[in-house]
Amino acid sequence: MNLLSQIAAGVTVGGLAFAFVLEVFFHRDPRTYSFTLIRPEDVPAVRLWVIFIGLYNLCFAAGIAAGLALLNAGAVGAGRALVLFGCGSHVFLAVLFPFVERRLWRNALMEGVPPLIAVLGYLLWE
């Protein structure tokens, strides 16, 4: 997997880890409302879901990171599969984001552009 794809996948890992921290530890903080759209009065109702979404993001970040580690340790096929699955999944999810909630179009860009670069970099220059 080329360097561009690996860097973009690494940025994806960072973004997913950042989302995990916000969703799990700061979902009650009103300053995160623009990111999560959770108003303080809604926190009790959505707490379980937002924490699990954060944990899903952490799992995807760990999978992509493991793929990058495998790639660079010589297990190219397994590493590439993990990176492409994780990044491809987040491209797909980012495309759906604005259809679920139009106000989250910025989140869709943040979630979708780095993994799209990783996948396209692989498909076009590998």
Side-chain angles (χ1 to χ4, degrees):
M1 190 164 241
N2 62 53
L3 185 59
L4 172 65
S5 294
Q6 290 186 55
I7 291 171
V11 171
T12 301
V13 169
L16 292 170
F18 178 72
F20 159 74
V21 170
L22 284 181
E23 291 161 346
V24 171
F25 299 108
F26 296 101
H27 64 273
R28 292 181 194 96
D29 191 329
R31 293 175 295 177
T32 65
Y33 176 67
S34 65
F35 177 78
T36 62
L37 301 184
I38 300 172
R39 294 184 306 257
E41 62 269 18
D42 296 333
V43 168
V46 300
R47 182 178 179 275
L48 174 67
W49 296 314
V50 76
I51 289 173
F52 270 95
I53 289 169
L55 293 171
Y56 280 110
N57 283 331
L58 180 63
C59 289
F60 270 100
I64 297 168
L68 290 169
L70 286 169
L71 270 171
N72 291 290
V76 175
R80 181 175 45 229
L82 281 171
V83 170
L84 291 175
F85 172 77
C87 288
S89 296
H90 279 276
V91 170
F92 174 72
L93 293 168
V95 168
L96 297 179
F97 237 137
F99 291 105
V100 174
E101 177 56 65
R102 287 188 317 166
R103 292 178 293 170
L104 293 176
W105 67 269
R106 284 185 197 97
N107 299 48
L109 289 175
M110 288 187 296
E111 181 171 354
V113 170
L116 179 63
I117 292 169
V119 171
L120 288 177
Y122 171 75
L123 292 174
L124 296 174
W125 293 294
E126 196 65 26

